[in-house]
Amino acid sequence: MDASATTQPAAIRVEGLAKRYRAVVALDGLDLSVEQGAFYGLLGPNGAGKTTTVSVLATLARPDAGRVQVAGHDVVSEQAEVRRAIGIVFQEPSLDRELTAREHLDLQGRLYHLDDRRRRTGEALERVGLAADADRPVRGFSGGMKRRLEIARGLLHRPRVLFLDEPTLGLDVNARAGIWEQLRELHAAGGTTVFLTTHSMDEADALCERIGILDAGRLVAEGAPEALKSALGGDVVEIGFEQPDGCAAAELLARIEGVLSVTREPEAARLRITVRDGSRRLAALLEAVRPHVVSEVALHRPDLEHVFLHHTGHPFEPERLGGGG
Amino acid sequence: MSRALGDTLAILQRELLRYRRDRAYWVGQIAFPLAVVAFIGFGLNDVVRLPTGADYLGHLASGILALLVGSAGVGGGMTLIQDRESGFLRALLVAPVSRTSLVLGKLLARALASVALVALLVALLAVFTPVGIPHPAAALLAVVAITVAFVALGVVLGTWLRSVEAYRLLAGLVTVPLYLLSGIFYPVSTLPAATRWLSYANPLTYGVDLFRYGLLGVNEFPVAVSASLLGVLTLASTIGAVVAFDRGLRE
Ligand SMILES: Nc1ncnc2c1ncn2[C@@H]1O[C@H](COP(=O)(O)OP(=O)(O)OP(=O)(O)O)[C@@H](O)[C@H]1O
Ligand SMILES: [Mg+2]
């Protein structure tokens, strides 16, 4: 082993990872490290490179450059060892339409050499609410049912490192809460390192101990969600107006001491102001917009969307920042 | 070793589940040879005289079965593309299973399904044609060799073709000449000299001949020659399929 042998080896270690698909640069010198037993979230907009990262980590795509280790093994030269240690829930469908839910899990159990696969299969089906549909071919499943089956399959062998590529995409609120609960339990039971990708700020915030923010193939920020948010050093004040022309007050507000940024949301007739010491400056802010009729005021800590905006200079999901929410 | 065997069996079982559920496929595979023999075979039987003096009906029936085994093999190779399209292939590739087990499972499943199909059809055809099973070992080797060779061909095509349509087209372009030059419809010895040499160079010729020996006891080439050629073909195809699968599926 190398110098890192003195400390506990990381569950995932990525150094200078680059990956391109013909002309498209998907990953551009990615560095990241995830400790054993951590719950890590990779957050990024569409096309940021999340799936590409997971594919390389799971031995399905070859890195063009860089060194990548998972569970202490190199993903290029020790593929078999890596595969034994990991589990994965793909973003894209990966089921056989002609097989039943139970047959999928049974095959998984056999491929991972689980002695008690019958019991585990039954339990897993129960947990994701597919017990009643266990013996129907997947062909007749709804999107959410398929998703839940994919998750059950990824967790069945209790992998040391679990990759979840946007696991709750397309699930309804209940199913999503159920999956979150299951992931929390799995993680609390210890031993499993979870690496989750998402473009849902809520999901990253709710589940992950640490998050990395990925944009255009690079990691632009990393840390605990709370730390990332407080590092922005301000509060967010939202002022809603009776009329959209209230947004004209933006320039005035920007000149007030302590104001870091002002974002206009004309469709919602609202301004978003990032300001140091929000509660003390609230009165001054309201004074400045006085000629316009204010309909609502909210003061809160910055969320991950602000973190993203701050580090990349562009909104995470333009339509969400712009529209009402 | 026993791990690899267990993995292969797990893959095999999954493939067989799929074949078993494909009702339309079985109906087609059973109806087609019966229809050919019933509608064409009986008519031609009185017209066509084989130089060997053997009955044409038996020649045609056994030839059609060999054709069926070949096309089933091509279909077996196509499952690779289907697995990629459904995304299921990803789940297999990320599992701790060797590429060899994945390919062997596919090859074996198709071979087993074809052996079952041939057994069933021979039983049906035996009622009204000279087809029987005088040399089961020869018939078995021929079915396995033809299947493995065609599935392997399909795997090679499947690693660089992305759509089922492209696969069907290209597989047709490659296999139809092989069929026509293999003695399925007429004995190779009745072909003009030039084409005959092409037939001799066609591995399927020996598969068809050994198959016919198994079903009718009639052969154009020495059994030992065909059997050894097919043994080598099976081995080479298997290795070729594993290598193509391993090389072709890297991103
Ligand atoms: N197989 C491929 N062939 C060509 N380009 C690809 C391929 N896979 C990914 N890309 C490109 O690489 C970039 C990163 O894609 P990736 O799928 O990793 O993004 P992502 O963060 O997972 O996005 P999403 O949130 O939409 O899933 C994109 O620009 C995409 O077009
Ligand atoms: Mg993705």
Side-chain angles (χ1 to χ4, degrees), chain B residues 53-246:
Chain B
D55 193 47
Y56 185 64
L57 195 59
H59 185 91
L60 182 70
S62 55
I64 290 294
L65 289 195
L67 177 74
L68 213 61
V69 171
S71 76
V74 170
M78 194 167 73
T79 60
L80 176 61
I81 294 187
Q82 292 167 330
D83 286 350
R84 177 159 46 205
E85 276 188 347
S86 72
F88 190 72
L89 186 63
R90 267 197 293 268
L92 293 179
L93 289 178
V94 83
V97 183
S98 74
R99 278 26 182 171
T100 310
S101 289
L102 292 178
V103 173
L104 285 183
K106 251 190 204 310
L107 292 175
L108 277 174
R110 191 59 261 177
L112 274 180
S114 285
V115 167
L117 181 71
V118 166
L120 182 71
L121 282 167
V122 165
L124 291 172
L125 288 170
V127 177
F128 53 97
T129 72
V131 164
I133 193 109
H135 303 287
L140 185 68
L141 174 59
V143 170
V144 170
I146 295 173
T147 304
V148 169
F150 277 94
V151 177
L153 176 71
V155 168
V156 172
L157 292 180
T159 52
W160 46 275
L161 293 177
R162 297 282 143 170
S163 76
V164 171
E165 291 76 21
Y167 177 84
R168 284 220 173 92
L169 189 72
L170 206 63
L173 283 177
V174 176
T175 57
V176 168
L178 290 179
Y179 291 140
L180 293 179
L181 287 169
S182 68
I184 280 180
F185 299 106
Y186 303 102
V188 171
S189 56
T190 64
L191 296 174
T195 2
R196 208 183 314 151
W197 284 105
L198 287 175
S199 291
Y200 291 156
N202 176 7
L204 186 60
T205 304
Y206 306 93
V208 172
D209 196 56
L210 191 68
F211 186 62
R212 202 162 261 145
Y213 173 72
L215 264 48
L216 297 170
V218 180
N219 53 306
E220 286 188 82
F221 305 97
V223 171
V225 170
S226 301
S228 350
L229 273 174
L230 294 178
V232 172
L233 177 70
T234 308
L235 204 64
S237 307
T238 306
I239 294 169
V242 171
V243 171
F245 189 84
D246 193 30

Side-chain angles (χ1 to χ4, degrees), chain A residues 52-85:
Chain A
T52 305
T53 305
V54 170
S55 301
V56 171
L57 290 174
T59 74
L60 289 179
R62 267 171 180 268
D64 295 335
R67 221 163 73 98
V68 182
Q69 287 193 327
V70 173
H73 298 285
D74 189 278
V75 297
V76 177
S77 60
E78 300 172 292
Q79 293 188 329
E81 288 81 359
V82 173
R83 287 184 189 135
R84 265 198 285 281

